[in-house]
Amino acid sequence: MNPNSKIYVAGHRGMVGSAIVRQLLLEGYSNLVLKTSQELDLRDQKATYKFFEEEQPEYVFLAAARVGGVWANYTRGAEFIYDNIMIQTNVIDAARKYGVKKLLFLGSSCIYPRLAPQPMKEEYLLTGPFEPTNEPYALAKVAGLKMCIAYRRQYGCNFISIMPTNLYGPGDNYDLMESHVLPALLRKFHEAKLERKKQVVVWGSGSPMREFLHVNDLASACIFLMKNYNDELWLNCGSGEEISIGALAELIREIVNWQAEIIYDTSKPDGMPRKLLDSSRLRALGWQPHYSLREGITDVYNNHFEKDYAKYSKKVSYSSQ
Ligand code: GDP
C-alpha cells in the first residue's frame, strides 16, 4: 500500500471498519472508498460487482458482517449464516474478478472448536465440534477463510485473514439483546448508577473465560498485516489477557464506580467455556497491543460510552436485562 492506493473498507460504519478507517487516515492513507449498507447491499451480487467495476479498489478490508453477542447468535442463527456467507462470498469473488491487489478478511475466535485446548492455535481449526450457540456464524467465518485460501491456490489472489478475539471500543453496540458482554455490562452498571439500583444481572454462571481486545489495537494489526503479510495461514489476534466473566463484571463495577451486587441469571447461555487465542504468530511478526483491559475499558467509558449509549438508550428495549 502507498499513500495514494485506493482502499475499500467494507463495513466502515461498524465498530471494526470505523476503527480501520480512523487508523488508515492517521497513517496517511486518504484515498478511501466507503459505502453504507443502504448505498450498497453487499448481499446483492450484481450490486457488489457493479461497485467493484466502477470503483476498482486496489486494497480491501472486509470488515462488513452481521455480528452480535451470545443471545443474538443463539436466537437468530439464520441471519448470521445467510448474511455473512452472502457478504463475504460476493466481496471475495468481486475482488478476484476486478483484480484487487490484496484483501484482508476478518473472522472471529469462535471458529475454533468449543473444547479446543487453550490458548487456541491456528492449527486447531476444525479439530472438533463448534460451540452450538454460534455454529451458524462460526461456519460462515470458516467458509470465508477457506475461500481466501482456495482463491489464493487456484487464482493466485493475495487474500489473507485475521481472527480477532472478543472486541470492544468506540462505536460498540449497546442494545442489551444484541450486544457482547463488555458493552452490555458497561450499560447495566451505568444505568444502575443512574437509577441507584442495588443489583446488576449478569448472564450465565460468570465462570466462562474470555479475552478482550480494544478495537484500535485490532485496526493497527489489520493495517500491519496488509503491509507486511502475504501467506495463506490466517492469524489470530488477541491481547493475551484472560479474565472470567465474573471478574470482568467486578472490573466494570469498579470503573463505573457503582457498588451494585452482581446477580447471575443462569437461564442465559454461557457459550464457550474458555476462549483465549494464541497470538504468538502475529506477535512474532512485530505487532503488539497497546491497551491493557483496564486502560481500554476506562478509555471507552470516559471517552466514547456517552455518545454510543445515547443511540441505544432512546430506543425501547424489549428486555431490561
Ligand atoms: P461470546 O464470547 O460469543 O460468548 O459472546 P458474549 O460477549 O455475548 O458473551 C460472553 C459471555 O458473557 C457469555 O458467557 C455470556 O453469558 C456472558 N454474559 C454475562 N452477562 C452478559 C450480558 O449482559 N450480555 C452478553 N451478551 N453476555 C453476557
Side-chain angles (χ1 to χ4, degrees):
M1 277 198 306
N2 67 56
N4 300 319
S5 300
K6 192 162 189 182
I7 303 169
Y8 172 43
V9 181
H12 76 285
R13 285 277 185 88
M15 179 170 73
V16 172
S18 58
I20 292 173
V21 168
R22 284 195 305 274
Q23 188 62 29
L24 283 168
L25 293 172
L26 268 178
E27 294 190 25
Y29 299 98
S30 55
N31 191 4
L32 308 184
V33 201
L34 308 171
K35 290 273 180 201
T36 64
S37 52
Q38 282 77 35
E39 292 164 339
L40 171 61
D41 183 350
L42 293 170
R43 295 169 302 184
D44 177 341
Q45 189 188 47
K46 269 199 191 134
T48 306
Y49 283 163
K50 185 165 175 278
F51 164 75
F52 273 78
E53 189 179 9
E54 284 170 9
E55 294 291 346
Q56 301 282 332
E58 295 170 85
Y59 295 87
V60 174
F61 290 87
L62 179 37
R66 175 171 291 284
V67 297
V70 69
W71 191 252
N73 270 277
Y74 182 55
T75 52
R76 304 221 316 272
E79 289 167 66
F80 279 81
I81 193 163
Y82 181 85
D83 289 351
N84 286 309
I85 285 191
M86 294 299 278
I87 291 168
Q88 71 205 27
T89 302
N90 290 338
V91 173
I92 292 170
D93 193 57
R96 170 199 63 82
K97 199 168 150 87
Y98 295 101
V100 164
K101 288 185 183 147
K102 191 164 175 182
L103 174 146
L104 173 75
F105 173 68
L106 280 113
S108 159
S109 58
C110 70
I111 58 164
Y112 294 109
R114 170 182 166 77
L115 298 177
Q118 305 281 326
M120 300 184 288
K121 293 182 191 297
E122 287 84 357
E123 53 267 35
Y124 298 164
L125 185 74
L126 298 175
T127 54
F130 297 114
E131 155 62 36
T133 52
N134 58 28
E135 186 183 73
Y137 178 73
L139 265 166
K141 290 296 184 183
V142 173
L145 82 85
K146 291 287 186 185
M147 191 165 167
C148 288
I149 294 173
Y151 272 51
R152 171 183 293 277
R153 291 185 184 171
Q154 185 174 345
Y155 303 125
C157 299
N158 191 4
F159 295 171
I160 60 172
S161 302
I162 186 168
M163 299 300 128
T165 196
N166 290 37
L167 300 167
Y168 66 96
D172 215 336
N173 183 339
Y174 287 91
D175 178 318
L176 291 175
M177 303 313 282
E178 298 278 320
S179 71
H180 286 97
V181 59
L182 198 154
L185 295 184
L186 272 176
R187 175 174 178 166
K188 287 178 182 181
F189 278 101
H190 181 76
E191 288 180 345
K193 185 176 176 178
L194 292 182
E195 295 160 21
R196 309 192 70 75
K197 281 200 212 149
K198 297 264 167 8
Q199 293 180 330
V200 161
V201 176
V202 174
W203 293 353
S205 63
S207 63
M209 303 293 291
R210 290 289 183 275
E211 176 193 27
F212 297 92
L213 184 71
H214 194 293
V215 73
N216 289 357
D217 283 333
L218 173 68
S220 74
C222 290
I223 294 165
F224 175 82
L225 291 182
M226 200 55 124
K227 290 189 210 157
N228 299 305
Y229 187 73
N230 298 300
D231 288 335
E232 71 169 36
L233 183 68
W234 60 98
L235 292 178
N236 291 340
C237 181
S239 60
E241 206 180 325
E242 199 184 22
I243 187 168
S244 72
I245 298 302
L248 176 73
E250 288 167 15
L251 177 59
I252 291 178
R253 174 168 70 183
E254 190 192 322
I255 291 169
V256 173
N257 193 19
W258 182 250
Q259 280 305 313
E261 183 192 357
I262 295 167
I263 307 288
Y264 290 100
D265 172 5
T266 50
S267 71
K268 289 287 193 305
D270 265 346
M272 252 162 101
R274 208 175 157 199
K275 208 167 23 162
L276 173 66
L277 290 176
D278 180 333
S279 307
S280 49
R281 280 198 173 91
L282 176 56
R283 284 193 173 224
L285 295 174
W287 170 85
Q288 57 180 35
H290 166 79
Y291 294 88
S292 70
L293 183 58
R294 179 183 287 273
E295 285 165 354
I297 300 176
T298 306
D299 166 60
V300 168
Y301 190 57
N302 291 345
N303 304 320
H304 308 285
F305 175 81
E306 207 175 327
K307 179 165 162 269
D308 292 334
Y309 166 73
K311 289 185 217 145
Y312 295 92
S313 56
K314 291 193 188 91
K315 283 197 215 158
V316 183
S317 183
Y318 54 93
S319 165
S320 60
Q321 310 224 314

